[in-house]
Amino acid sequence: MLLPQNSSIFAARSIGRTADFLSTMSYSTLDVRQVGSTLVVELNRPEKLNALNRAMLDELEQLFSDAVLPVRYRAVIITGKGKAFAAGADIAELAACTGETGADFARRGQRVFARIESLPIPVIAAVGGYALGGGCELAMACHLRFAATTAVFGQPEVKLGIIPGYGGTQRLARLIGVARAVEFMLTGEHISAQRAYELGLVNRVFEPEKLLDETLAFCATLEMLPPRAIEAILRATYGVASARYDIEAEQFGLLCGTDDFREGTRAFLEKRTPTFTGR
Ligand code: COA
C-alpha cells in the first residue's frame, strides 16, 4: 500500500508543530495514551474479545488518518484490553453481509489497515491473547508483531464460509510464504506464539507481564535512530500497492452471498457446529 509521498512530517516536527494531540481525541472503542514519544492504542471491547465492529474501524481510521500523529509521535503500539488482541471482525455485524454488500465490507477494513501500514513511523502490534481473523490481519498490517507466550493466532474465516478479507490473503503470504499461508487459511487452525515466531509471523516473544514494557523499550530505542531513515525503510518496504487486494475483496463479497456463509455465521452466534452444503 502506498505511503504519502511528502516530507511534511519532518518539516512540521522541526518547527515544533506538536499540538496537544491526545486532548483532542475521544474514543468509545479505543483507549489511547502517550508513553514517552510512543502512542499506545488499546482496543477496548474486552467483553467481545475486541471484535472489530464498525465503530472500532471508524475510530481506527480517524486516529490513523490524523496528520498530526506521525508529527507528534515516533512510534505506535496497538494492543488489546483483556484476554484478546482482537478475535476478528464482529461476526454479529458480518452476518448481515450479502453478496451485494460483502465486497464493500472487506474494502472498508482493507482501507483502514492500509492507513496503519502506510504510517511513516513504526507501528507495532503487542499481542497478548487471541489474534484471530481480522485481529490477525490487523497485527499483520502493523510493521512488527511482538507477542506474549499466551498469544494465539489464526485465520479461521474458512469455518464461517468466507476468507480473510482485510488484506490477510496478501500479507500472510508475504510474511510466511505462500504455501504456509495457504495451509494456515485452509485449516483455520489456531497456533501458539512460539509457532507463529517459528513461521516468521511474529518478531519477538515475551512473558505476558513483560510484553508491553519490552515493546515500549523497543520503541524507545527507535528514538535514537534517524527518523528520515526509518521513514525511508517503511516507504521502500510497503510502497507498492497490489491489485490482489481487489481480488480478495471481490471473493469475500461473493462468499457473503452463499448459504454456507449464512450457516457459518449463524452457527457461531447460536454456539453450535455448522453444517456446510457447498451452496
Ligand atoms: N465477533 C463477535 N463476537 C465475538 C467474536 C467475534 N469475532 N469473537 C468472540 N465474540 C464474543 C462471543 O460471542 C462472546 O460474546 P457473548 O459473551 O455475548 O456470548 C464473547 O465474545 C466471548 O467469546 P467466547 O466465544 O464466549 O469466548 P471463548 O473463550 O469461549 O472463545 C474464541 C474464544 C476466540 C475461540 C471464540 O470467541 C471465537 O472463535 N471467536 C471467533 C473467531 C473468529 O472466527 N474470527 C474471525 C471472524 S471473521
Side-chain angles (χ1 to χ4, degrees):
M1 291 280 147
L2 287 172
L3 292 158
Q5 295 295 323
N6 63 58
S7 58
S8 60
I9 298 155
F10 301 104
R13 234 182 228 149
S14 62
I15 61 171
R17 209 190 103 204
T18 55
D20 192 354
F21 186 70
L22 285 177
S23 68
T24 62
M25 300 188 300
S26 161
Y27 297 109
S28 63
T29 66
L30 306 176
D31 188 3
V32 179
R33 63 187 189 279
Q34 175 171 2
V35 181
S37 61
T38 299
L39 186 69
V40 180
V41 180
E42 195 169 39
L43 309 176
N44 186 14
R45 288 186 81 209
E47 71 289 354
K48 292 290 179 186
L49 305 186
N50 301 321
L52 296 151
N53 63 359
R54 201 173 295 120
M56 193 183 277
L57 283 179
D58 282 349
E59 293 188 345
L60 284 170
E61 183 167 40
Q62 188 191 338
L63 175 62
F64 282 92
S65 302
D66 195 319
V68 174
L69 193 158
V71 177
R72 182 75 179 86
Y73 300 99
R74 295 291 300 274
V76 180
I77 296 172
I78 301 180
T79 191
K81 196 176 284 265
K83 73 173 180 179
F85 176 73
D90 189 311
I91 297 172
E93 288 184 358
L94 172 67
C97 280
T98 65
E100 285 71 46
T101 63
D104 282 345
F105 185 93
R107 285 196 190 96
R108 169 95 182 89
Q110 285 186 2
R111 193 173 73 231
V112 177
F113 289 7
R115 285 259 179 221
I116 294 170
E117 187 176 70
S118 67
L119 214 67
I121 57 173
V123 184
I124 302 168
V127 181
Y130 291 115
L132 301 175
C136 189
E137 292 175 291
L138 172 59
M140 291 192 290
C142 298
H143 303 125
L144 299 174
R145 282 148 297 284
F146 290 0
T149 50
T150 45
V152 175
F153 295 82
Q155 295 291 164
E157 287 88 346
V158 69
K159 295 177 181 171
L160 299 172
I162 47 171
I163 62 171
Y166 291 171
T169 62
Q170 303 311 300
R171 293 194 179 97
L172 188 60
R174 206 171 174 209
L175 285 168
I176 68 173
V178 174
R180 282 173 162 165
V182 171
E183 183 183 358
F184 195 54
M185 289 185 285
L186 286 179
T187 61
E189 68 184 325
H190 292 184
I191 61 167
S192 66
Q194 182 57 33
R195 180 71 184 135
Y197 175 75
E198 288 159 9
L199 289 172
L201 182 55
V202 157
N203 295 85
R204 299 184 186 194
V205 181
F206 301 105
E207 291 304 319
E209 62 279 8
K210 292 193 175 152
L211 175 65
L212 195 56
D213 284 349
E214 292 284 356
T215 311
L216 282 165
F218 177 85
C219 291
T221 66
L222 297 174
E223 284 176 34
M224 288 173 265
L225 298 171
R228 281 175 188 259
I230 289 176
E231 177 175 358
I233 288 168
L234 298 177
R235 282 191 195 285
T237 305
Y238 298 103
V240 180
S242 163
R244 294 210 173 100
Y245 286 92
D246 285 337
I247 300 174
E248 180 188 89
E250 276 166 26
Q251 292 298 317
F252 185 95
L254 288 174
L255 289 167
C256 287
T258 64
D259 288 349
D260 280 349
F261 164 71
R262 275 183 290 283
E263 167 64 5
T265 49
R266 264 181 213 151
F268 175 81
L269 295 170
E270 293 165 9
K271 302 186 189 292
R272 62 175 173 79
T273 305
T275 306
F276 294 120
T277 61
R279 288 191 295 276

